[in-house]
Amino acid sequence: SKPITKICCIGAGYVGGPTMAVIAQKCPHIQVTVVDLNQARISAWNDPDTNNIPVYEPGLSEVVAEARGRNLFFSTEVDEAIAGAEMIFISVNTPTKTYGSGKGMAADLKYIELCARQIARVSKTDKIIVEKSTLPVRTAEAVKSILQNTGNGVQFQILSNPEFLAEGTAVEDLHAPDRILIGGDTTEEGQQAIAALVEVYANWVPTDRILTTNLWSSELSKLTANAFLAQRVSSINALSELCERTGADVSEVARSIGTDSRIGPKFLNASVGFGGSCFQKDILNLVYIARSYGLQQVADYWEQVIIMNDHQKRRFATNIVRTLYNTVSGKKIAFLGWAFKKDTNDTRESAAIYVADDLLNEQANITVYDPKVGEAQIQYDLNYLATRSAEQNKELVTVITDPYETCKDAHAIAIMTEWDEFKTYDWQRIYDNMIKPAFLFDGRNVVDKKKLTDIGFKVYTIGK
Ligand code: NAI
């Protein structure tokens, strides 16, 4: 098969942007065009100052600066980019359905279908279609059916190539992935398509890290990986509550079990609960698929991971209210962090949103500081829940760009994201400006509990 010279990627989001930037960086001989319907997003990717690109990831602006204009392009000309490419990545969003059957559980595949129809309409030459988005197992079948019924003689091969990057370390993960997974048809044409994509990655990834499977294994592996990762968080979080009652320390328990090589040390931090656009959506999707095959026990088993996570978020909020003498009405609570984890500006499904919502129901006033998230996004996140009017959210929640101002005159601080800078604040100064007793609820176990207790804070950490 001919080597690939032109790639198009549909969707310039948290996955499409960084993955394509790294492919372009590592494959100067391939022209990579990332397209999106969202004009504002494309304009931001094209901002002359690469510090203003729409996705914040350590090291990303440098990669974009290196490749953009050379062999990396961002555009809204979707048809043109599709027509010119030999390989098309689909990286559009696949959110949980908010309507109709499967509402709140199934993945909404309307954006995927729109892409497939657009590709079918525009293509005049043979193409390899790569599913980069996370999709329910057997989606490739639907994509194939749409593409193969165009009647214009164009040949399509569908590959599944799920993305395993973690936000916050996307560039690092893309430069040195644990593995690349490529699923395709077992036919000769399918195997050739797989080989063409392997060749792209082989420009920087050792070939023994490039795994190939059939389509369905690849699609299902991504859902499985996220389910296992989220399960570890819910498992340690479940134990954190028991630690709090028994005098055990969840960090000590995590270290003790993590040294067992069968368990491993990573991803065992207790917290206020996982967030991000993927874990919840992908598990709900897995649960939905299992139920649709009548596998009730399988579905219930994985659903418990979500139930535990919701419980962890809720009990964090409840603990704040209880500790503050059973009322937070009219009290100022300062949130440090809003992003779902450190080193990203992504707030989707962030625990902070749900904890804030609970506290607002108790009539708290909330101030928020996050180093990478601004006021518009924070108000958007709260309004999206539709618990109260936008005017009320604006009245009750104030976003401040200085952490010391944020905490001034607060009854309590809630640390919602594990940003490194929180460790090095002048905590004495923060304490001096708070209402006493000064409470601190550390949802990420980032601060030095002893040091802050010595200053005078009443510190609550998770699982201790
Ligand atoms: P995103 O929402 O940041 O980006 C998706 C982009 O696709 C948006 O900019 C949207 O305007 C664009 N889009 C939608 N329909 C389009 C169309 N028909 N034509 C052109 N553009 C269109 O989503 P994100 O986070 O990049 O996720 C994409 C997929 O990757 C999802 O399936 C997600 O599950 C998966 N994924 C996400 C990871 C993450 O860390 N965010 C990691 C691994 C997989």
Side-chain angles (χ1 to χ4, degrees):
S1 62
K2 283 196 313 234
I4 300 296
T5 60
K6 280 189 182 154
I7 287 177
C8 159
C9 171
I10 309 177
Y14 282 87
V15 168
T19 47
M20 291 303 127
V22 167
I23 289 182
Q25 179 195 32
K26 298 294 185 182
C27 310
H29 55 287
I30 300 179
Q31 183 181 314
V32 180
T33 308
V34 192
V35 292
D36 204 295
L37 298 171
N38 183 334
Q39 175 68 60
R41 222 170 203 186
I42 291 299
S43 301
W45 280 111
N46 282 323
D47 196 298
D49 180 354
T50 52
N51 290 312
N52 296 333
I53 56 176
V55 170
Y56 173 72
E57 282 288 342
L60 181 59
S61 74
E62 289 83 350
V63 176
V64 171
E66 183 184 333
R68 199 180 59 188
R70 178 187 74 186
N71 65 325
L72 174 65
F73 303 92
F74 295 92
S75 160
T76 50
E77 305 287 331
V78 183
D79 284 1
E80 194 185 314
I82 291 173
E86 299 129 6
M87 182 176 270
I88 301 165
F89 286 77
I90 302 181
S91 269
V92 301
N93 38 326
T94 50
T96 305
K97 264 186 98 176
T98 54
Y99 54 88
S101 107
K103 176 180 173 176
M105 298 291 292
D108 191 342
L109 297 178
K110 68 177 171 197
Y111 304 108
I112 296 288
E113 176 163 348
L114 281 172
C115 288
R117 290 188 183 279
Q118 193 164 10
I119 294 168
R121 182 164 51 75
V122 170
S123 297
K124 301 274 181 292
T125 54
D126 295 353
K127 302 197 187 299
I128 299 171
I129 311 303
V130 185
E131 300 175 343
K132 182 53 101 179
S133 299
T134 303
L135 297 171
V137 55
R138 294 206 79 88
T139 302
E141 198 166 45
V143 172
K144 212 182 281 184
S145 157
I146 291 167
L147 291 173
Q148 283 171 352
N149 287 294
T150 54
N152 60 2
V154 175
Q155 296 297 313
F156 293 100
Q157 279 301 319
I158 324 287
L159 299 178
S160 159
N161 171 222
E163 184 48 58
F164 292 100
L165 69 79
E167 287 180 30
T169 53
V171 173
E172 222 179 292
D173 296 343
L174 289 164
H175 279 163
D178 287 341
R179 68 358 202 138
I180 296 290
L181 178 59
I182 303 173
D185 270 346
T186 48
T187 58
E188 198 184 321
E189 296 79 11
Q191 294 301 305
Q192 276 174 9
I194 291 179
L197 185 53
V198 168
E199 199 177 311
V200 172
Y201 283 111
N203 282 293
W204 79 97
V205 180
T207 43
D208 62 350
R209 294 205 172 194
I210 306 178
L211 314 182
T212 61
T213 65
N214 77 29
L215 271 170
W216 321 128
S217 305
S218 174
E219 287 180 338
L220 187 56
S221 294
K222 175 63 191 178
L223 292 184
T224 308
N226 275 351
F228 268 63
L229 289 169
Q231 169 274 126
R232 271 174 85 90
V233 178
S234 277
S235 293
I236 199 74
N237 281 345
L239 268 308
S240 75
E241 193 171 14
L242 190 56
C243 286
E244 289 166 25
R245 299 294 167 84
T246 56
D249 177 330
V250 77
S251 305
E252 292 180 349
V253 174
R255 180 155 51 90
S256 309
I257 63 166
T259 45
D260 185 323
S261 61
R262 293 168 303 176
I263 296 175
K266 292 182 186 166
F267 237 67
L268 284 177
N269 290 327
S271 71
V272 57
F274 61 76
S277 68
C278 292
F279 283 180
Q280 172 159 314
K281 143 177 104 64
D282 293 346
I283 294 181
L284 288 172
N285 189 208
L286 187 66
V287 170
Y288 181 77
I289 293 169
R291 283 221 173 102
S292 74
Y293 285 102
L295 309 179
Q296 217 48 252
Q297 290 80 356
V298 177
D300 292 351
Y301 176 76
W302 287 109
E303 191 166 37
Q304 203 59 37
V305 174
I306 303 285
I307 294 171
M308 189 62 225
N309 196 51
D310 287 340
H311 170 67
Q312 190 77 348
K313 290 183 277 190
R314 174 129 300 146
R315 91 181 174 86
F316 188 79
T318 307
N319 185 36
I320 293 178
V321 177
R322 273 207 200 117
T323 309
L324 268 61
Y325 315 105
N326 288 312
T327 176
V328 290
S329 179
K331 290 181 181 168
K332 175 169 161 179
I333 317 274
F335 273 39
L336 294 180
W338 190 265
F340 86 91
K341 66 193 290 200
K342 74 170 180 177
D343 293 338
T344 177
N345 60 346
D346 195 350
T347 63
R348 290 176 289 180
E349 293 297 329
S350 179
I353 304 169
Y354 296 94
V355 172
D357 193 52
D358 280 356
L359 294 176
L360 293 173
N361 284 340
E362 296 289 334
Q363 303 183 341
N365 290 308
I366 296 179
T367 53
V368 187
Y369 164 78
D370 186 289
K372 291 288 173 191
V373 184
E375 152 129 53
Q377 183 65 47
I378 291 168
Q379 294 292 348
Y380 172 90
D381 291 337
L382 288 167
N383 293 339
Y384 189 79
L385 297 181
T387 314
R388 63 194 73 71
S389 71
E391 291 69 40
Q392 283 171 309
N393 280 328
K394 222 173 166 92
E395 208 178 293
L396 295 170
V397 180
T398 315
V399 180
I400 302 176
T401 52
D402 176 78
Y404 295 95
E405 270 311 304
T406 307
C407 299
K408 193 161 176 273
D409 298 325
H411 285 264
I413 294 171
I415 298 183
M416 305 307 298
T417 312
E418 71 281 20
W419 288 102
D420 288 334
E421 65 177 62
F422 298 162
K423 294 180 186 159
T424 55
Y425 284 173
D426 180 349
W427 285 102
Q428 181 68 53
R429 178 178 156 203
I430 291 176
Y431 176 80
D432 292 342
N433 289 320
M434 282 177 69
I435 301 205
K436 309 298 177 318
F439 294 99
L440 186 139
F441 300 88
D442 186 352
R444 300 280 172 175
N445 290 342
V446 286
V447 296
D448 183 338
K449 184 172 182 179
K450 178 165 183 319
K451 197 176 114 194
L452 268 66
T453 307
D454 288 348
I455 289 175
F457 281 102
K458 304 251 177 272
V459 183
Y460 291 81
T461 46
I462 303 230
K464 295 178 192 232

